Amino acid sequence: MISSDLPVIIAGAGPGGLVAALSLKRSGVPFVIYDRASSVRLCSNAGSGIDMAPVAINILEKELEMSPEGIDRAMRPYEYMYMFDAGGQKLNTYRLKDMKLKIGSRDFGFANRSDLQHALLEELGLKDKNGKIVDGGSLHCGIAVASYENKPGFVEVVLGTGEKVRGLALLACDGIHSAVRKHMHRGSDDSLHYCGQVAWWGKTVVEKGSELEKELKKMQKKNAMEDGNVSLAMMGTRKKPGTFFSCEVAENVHAWVYVLKDKNPPAANASNDLTRRGGVALSGVDKQKEMNKLVASCPPVVEHIMTHASVDNVTRAGFFDRANLSLPYVDGRTALLGDAAHPQSPMMGQGANMAIVDGFVAAQRLAAAIAKPGDASPAIERALADYDCDTRRKDNRTVIKKARKYGRWSTTKNRFVSWAMATSVKYLPASAMVGELISGDNSNRKFVAALKEDIGETVRNMEVSLQQ
């Protein structure tokens, strides 16, 4: 067994970083997390709803044995999904509540990013009895990781404060604008690739008696959806391209996104506010002017959801991934995870899932290496080299390119593509839609299976049952 008091250093306390920390904790490996956000901003909720695919749910529920209460607070099941086009014409109603749609004992669903972070922090013991985040000790908020240098037997990490700290390894979960990645590939062409779409997203509270509440209730009653939460999906048309999606992430709270084609990447993505995916909150004047233009001729429910959002909860940013998809994720004792490794458009719903899986796999490989007898340096570096396998990078490239394609299709003015997408939504069964939604999870399943084979554990069941 490797004998060392040095912790594994984690840059970033998003879902991926916190899953890595919890994996290490369950294995008895010390860790320390640094995040550039203050403790007040760490779990900022700017309207982020994330699909939860089978492998990620299995990791949280079975592998890490998170409390059911914590997962229940973070996740909500998909029960109804109302599909319509930009002209307000109904395409389909997916009655997911009536399907036998299980991942283990849990219904297929989505999570509020902020609630998931809070649940993971509680499991890590990083919240006090009053529910406040404990800053200090194994979590340092308001301090970014700036760079690193691999040394014999450890990695030396330079913090944003100028202080240098040592760790057994560095797991970089610091997002698409990763400082660790910038340092790792400083000699390479590693520019961002603009996907050609701009996303407006936000969080809207449905006030009692509001026009929005009336519109939602009318829709629920008309389509017999009154006994469950309703997600909304609007497909664009040739005359009004773009796609809108909204889901109820908490009681009477909708997280939503409207995606549009735009040839010019928005300047908002220069922001360092990672809680907004690089975007910025718009001012009241800017929001009002842009929103009025955006929702013109939209179906009333879309108009009400977007215009009822608070100014502070509306963000605009472009979709970016990386131009060079072949660069390695690992340099010695330093590894890139999640968006730091493979940023992608959210059109496949896999970004957060892949980050969770990365955190689990990298941490488990490190824990297995630490537990084995032998020289520390080769074991740690071999573990991270195995994390950065060719198969995973190849599968990630496939998901990223598929997300690019869906982004183009969902915002196109092409008559045939618009018709084909609307027709498929109208006639395909819900099971086919869900199957396509989680198809990107195959990469995660293979990644975890390879981990289990290498460290000699049995793969737990990660299948999702999809029956109409």
Side-chain angles (χ1 to χ4, degrees):
M1 177 181 291
I2 295 171
S3 176
S4 175
D5 295 329
L6 292 178
V8 173
I9 296 173
I10 300 171
L18 294 176
V19 164
L22 187 56
S23 300
L24 293 170
K25 182 178 181 178
R26 295 285 194 255
S27 300
V29 177
F31 65 88
V32 60
I33 308 170
Y34 294 94
D35 195 286
R36 70 170 69 182
S38 67
S39 59
V40 174
R41 293 282 298 161
L42 184 62
C43 299
S44 175
N45 190 348
S48 291
I50 54 179
D51 289 319
M52 295 299 292
V55 178
I57 293 177
N58 184 76
I59 286 171
L60 299 178
E61 188 173 46
K62 303 296 184 184
E63 300 287 355
L64 300 180
E65 298 181 336
M66 283 184 65
S67 71
E69 295 79 14
I71 300 178
D72 286 343
R73 285 197 300 275
M75 280 190 63
R76 292 170 71 87
Y78 277 115
E79 293 180 325
Y80 296 104
M81 189 175 293
Y82 181 73
M83 313 289 292
F84 55 103
D85 67 22
Q89 183 71 31
K90 175 182 173 179
L91 297 174
N92 207 337
T93 300
Y94 291 140
R95 301 186 177 279
L96 305 176
K97 187 176 183 179
D98 299 335
M99 296 173 63
K100 296 176 181 178
L101 199 63
K102 296 286 184 181
I103 302 169
S105 62
R106 191 163 296 279
D107 291 326
F108 173 63
F110 54 92
N112 180 305
R113 186 181 190 275
S114 174
D115 290 342
L116 182 57
Q117 284 178 282
H118 280 295
L120 287 163
L121 287 166
E122 287 174 4
E123 289 286 338
L124 287 162
L126 294 175
K127 294 182 74 175
D128 64 22
K129 62 181 180 180
N130 297 316
K132 292 185 177 180
I133 295 171
V134 178
D135 189 358
S138 57
L139 172 62
H140 298 272
C141 298
I143 301 176
V145 169
S147 64
Y148 70 91
E149 185 176 352
N150 288 305
K151 302 275 190 176
F154 64 92
V155 59
E156 184 176 74
V157 174
V158 181
L159 304 178
T161 59
E163 181 185 359
K164 295 181 179 180
V165 293
R166 293 182 175 185
L168 267 182
L170 169 61
L171 301 181
C173 311
D174 50 344
I176 189 171
H177 299 296
S178 170
V180 177
R181 179 176 181 126
K182 184 177 181 180
H183 181 78
M184 182 182 292
H185 296 308
R186 58 194 181 279
S188 303
D189 179 9
D190 189 31
S191 58
L192 290 171
H193 165 261
Y194 178 52
C195 299
Q197 296 91 42
V198 167
W200 293 67
W201 75 86
K203 179 181 69 173
T204 300
V205 177
V206 183
E207 301 288 352
K208 198 168 183 63
S210 66
E211 289 301 313
L212 173 56
E213 184 191 48
K214 293 175 185 175
E215 193 67 36
L216 287 170
K217 285 187 173 180
K218 181 173 74 174
M219 177 184 293
Q220 289 171 316
K221 184 175 182 179
K222 184 177 180 180
N223 295 280
M225 303 184 296
E226 295 174 285
D227 60 338
N229 69 69
V230 178
S231 299
L232 306 173
M234 183 187 80
M235 309 292 294
T237 62
R238 183 177 64 85
K239 292 183 178 179
K240 192 171 180 60
T243 186
F244 174 87
F245 183 78
S246 174
C247 57
E248 193 175 11
V249 294
E251 195 69 30
N252 294 321
V253 178
H254 281 251
W256 53 266
V257 63
Y258 197 157
V259 183
L260 297 162
K261 182 177 181 178
D262 194 328
K263 293 181 180 179
N264 302 308
N269 283 70
S271 167
N272 285 326
D273 185 354
L274 298 183
T275 64
R276 295 182 179 276
R277 302 187 187 96
V280 292
L282 302 177
S283 72
V285 174
D286 288 339
K287 176 205 165 186
Q288 191 65 55
K289 184 168 65 175
E290 293 292 331
M291 283 285 189
N292 287 345
K293 187 188 302 181
L294 189 62
V295 301
S297 74
C298 277
V301 68
V302 175
E303 178 183 358
H304 291 316
I305 287 176
M306 293 182 64
T307 56
H308 277 68
S310 164
V311 173
D312 292 336
N313 290 323
V314 176
T315 304
R316 182 184 62 186
F319 286 166
F320 288 84
D321 51 39
R322 290 282 172 182
N324 188 344
L325 301 180
S326 300
L327 291 175
Y329 301 159
V330 167
D331 173 26
R333 289 172 174 254
T334 299
L336 306 175
L337 283 66
D339 279 352
H342 40 75
Q344 60 196 270
S345 154
M347 300 306 290
M348 281 290 289
Q350 278 297 315
N353 289 282
M354 294 174 87
I356 288 169
V357 174
D358 283 355
F360 174 72
V361 170
Q364 288 292 297
R365 286 195 178 277
L366 284 174
I370 291 168
K372 288 180 180 178
D375 185 18
S377 294
I380 294 291
E381 292 177 13
R382 266 198 311 269
L384 292 182
D386 289 339
Y387 158 81
D388 187 20
C389 60
D390 290 338
T391 300
R392 176 63 165 178
R393 275 193 277 133
K394 180 181 177 182
D395 287 345
N396 288 349
R397 288 196 293 271
T398 298
V399 172
I400 290 167
K401 290 178 179 179
K402 198 170 183 179
R404 289 178 182 176
K405 180 175 67 177
Y406 279 159
R408 292 193 299 270
W409 285 358
S410 65
T411 58
T412 186
K413 290 184 178 180
N414 183 284
R415 184 192 303 271
F416 174 75
V417 175
S418 295
W419 171 84
M421 291 191 69
T423 301
S424 65
V425 166
K426 189 171 185 177
Y427 294 107
L428 282 178
S431 57
M433 183 276 294
V434 175
E436 180 61 20
L437 186 65
I438 62 175
S439 64
D441 208 32
N442 291 333
S443 168
N444 294 325
R445 185 176 291 105
K446 289 161 62 177
F447 199 34
V448 174
L451 162 73
K452 296 295 186 176
E453 182 178 352
D454 289 349
I455 66 176
E457 290 188 15
T458 302
V459 181
R460 297 174 191 256
N461 180 33
M462 293 179 289
E463 296 301 316
V464 57
S465 173
L466 302 177
Q467 299 175 10
Q468 189 76 45

